[in-house]
Amino acid sequence: MKILVIGPSWVGDMMMSQSLYRTLKAEHPDAVIDVMAPAWCRPLLSRMPEVNEALAMPLGHGALEIAERRRLGKMLKANGYDRAFVLPNSFKSALVPFFAAIPRRTGWRGEMRYGLLNDLRRLDKTAFPLMVQRYVALGYDKTRIHRADDLPQPLLWPRLAVQETEKQATASAFGLASGRPMVGFCPGAEFGPAKRWPHYHYATLAQRLIDQGYQVVLFGSAKDNETGQQILAALAEDARQHCRNLAGETQLEQAVILLAACDAVVSNDSGLMHIAAALDRPLVALYGPSSPDFTPPLSSKARVIRLITGYHKIRKGDADEGYHQSLIDITPERVMTELATLCPRPGV
């Protein structure tokens, strides 16, 4: 069976979609799975053993461009796909499989996609509270799976493959092969400071870890570099040599490899958090206004810290520098305690 998946456009969603690919391969071991997604996804998809090929979606997020989608669909028709799974809920995301004339096209109803999808599912959000459950449910016949409890257990969580030689080579390339074990920090968040643990808490935690013999590596995009510099500036001068700000300095591929090399990771609710979970790293995930009830880190080695309930759609908190009080109230001592349960101190 040849399968085309129209994949998500966000890092966290892309990571959770791997559970569907793993499920499909478990149910159909000979299936060939291609995933169409933005080109930046290739470093993630290339590390998913279930994926045969990553096909670049050349259209930007939000672009309709029906003529171009028709061209893409006609081009893919020659691949002879038997099934398509459309993971985004938008109308436009269902166009390419339709134009490719793929016989069975599966997805949740979303934006009124009657006709475009011929295996249309009506989503009961209470029956499938987690995004990963919604993805995995699409891999089964809709007459068989009516709620999350009907899914075979345990769910096949995302797992990225990284070789030991890659870790050593990449750490060396960035000057991180110092003999100190690494703890990764992911202090950024896509949608503003309300989802970020304060930089001064990260700095306090970094100082304690460095004093215990670790090196701390900061990950993120270029816009997170300033936060990384704030963390560095708050450290004691002799500790700064053991803290490296790589935010904006790595490609996604390199960040994945270096996260895999970390002994533990501390992260806000972000795409990098989901990558760390898929790498099976000991992980402390810090939540504020956003909720882990829908997209938690999928790992038995993850610990979630959250002091409030519900979902609060805000990008900037009322506290200084836009932080949210619920994240300010998570103390470095609390995070340190969770880390201690996940991994021993160097030499212990």
Side-chain angles (χ1 to χ4, degrees):
M1 177 162 49
K2 295 194 69 175
I3 297 171
L4 175 67
V5 178
I6 304 300
S9 297
W10 300 102
V11 173
D13 296 355
M14 178 55 72
M15 290 312 314
M16 285 178 283
S17 74
Q18 191 189 5
S19 287
L20 171 62
Y21 316 150
R22 294 189 68 193
T23 298
L24 290 171
K25 286 294 281 188
E27 292 287 309
H28 311 281
D30 295 330
V32 176
I33 303 172
D34 294 343
V35 180
M36 175 168 275
W40 63 259
C41 293
R42 189 176 296 275
L44 302 179
L45 292 169
S46 67
R47 295 184 178 279
M48 298 180 185
E50 308 77 23
V51 175
N52 172 64
E53 186 176 1
L55 305 174
M57 166 56 79
L59 302 177
H61 186 66
L64 180 56
E65 299 193 42
I66 291 181
E68 178 61 13
R69 292 178 193 272
R70 179 185 290 109
R71 187 193 68 79
L72 286 170
K74 298 294 185 182
M75 180 180 68
L76 290 175
K77 187 175 181 179
N79 289 358
Y81 292 110
D82 302 292
R83 291 200 64 177
F85 293 89
V86 181
L87 301 189
N89 287 327
S90 63
F91 171 84
K92 60 183 176 292
S93 63
L95 288 170
V96 169
F98 174 76
F99 289 129
I102 297 173
R104 187 175 177 189
R105 305 181 298 277
T106 301
W108 297 109
R109 184 175 64 173
E111 294 179 350
M112 300 298 288
R113 301 187 288 185
Y114 297 104
L116 295 180
L117 300 178
N118 56 13
D119 178 20
L120 196 65
R121 314 289 178 91
R122 187 186 297 269
L123 176 62
D124 178 350
K125 294 182 179 181
T126 61
F128 300 98
L130 297 180
M131 177 177 280
V132 67
Q133 294 166 345
R134 298 174 189 181
Y135 285 160
V136 171
L138 293 175
Y140 294 97
D141 191 282
K142 61 184 175 183
T143 62
R144 176 182 168 189
I145 304 295
H146 303 286
R147 56 189 305 106
D149 291 344
D150 298 332
L151 294 170
Q153 299 296 326
L155 294 184
L156 300 174
W157 282 344
R159 285 293 175 264
L160 297 180
V162 177
Q163 301 301 316
E164 193 63 37
T165 52
E166 293 180 290
K167 299 177 193 178
Q168 295 171 0
T170 307
S172 178
F174 282 93
L176 300 174
S178 68
R180 283 180 170 238
M182 291 195 300
V183 175
F185 285 3
C186 306
E190 184 67 27
F191 294 117
K195 289 177 66 174
R196 297 176 188 162
W197 200 42
H199 68 275
Y200 45 83
H201 282 347
Y202 271 113
T204 299
L205 181 63
Q207 184 70 55
R208 291 191 60 180
L209 288 167
I210 290 167
D211 290 345
Q212 289 190 1
Y214 288 94
Q215 61 178 323
V216 174
V217 183
L218 311 178
F219 296 96
S221 65
K223 67 180 182 180
D224 302 318
N225 187 270
E226 182 181 354
T227 299
Q229 291 305 115
Q230 291 176 312
I231 294 169
L232 271 171
L235 295 175
E237 188 171 350
D238 61 349
R240 292 174 193 165
Q241 63 182 313
H242 302 300
C243 182
R244 182 74 181 276
N245 181 16
L246 293 183
E249 293 188 18
T250 60
Q251 300 296 320
L252 180 58
E253 175 91 1
Q254 296 166 320
V256 170
I257 295 170
L258 291 175
L259 282 169
C262 289
D263 282 51
V265 177
V266 179
S267 179
N268 302 331
D269 174 18
S270 67
L272 289 177
M273 177 198 74
H274 290 286
I275 290 175
L279 291 166
D280 206 29
R281 293 297 77 212
L283 169 67
V284 179
L286 308 172
Y287 281 78
S290 60
S291 173
D293 295 338
F294 182 43
T295 55
L298 302 175
S299 170
S300 60
K301 295 181 181 178
R303 301 289 184 272
V304 172
I305 302 178
R306 192 184 191 219
L307 304 182
I308 58 174
T309 59
Y311 174 69
H312 310 268
K313 193 174 183 179
I314 58 174
R315 297 193 177 190
K316 189 174 182 179
D318 295 331
D320 289 346
E321 300 180 79
Y323 295 130
H324 195 268
Q325 191 62 47
S326 66
L327 281 162
I328 295 174
D329 291 342
I330 298 174
T331 64
E333 290 73 23
R334 171 72 185 278
V335 178
M336 196 72 190
T337 298
E338 294 292 346
L339 278 174
T341 68
L342 290 169
C343 56
R345 289 187 297 172
V348 176

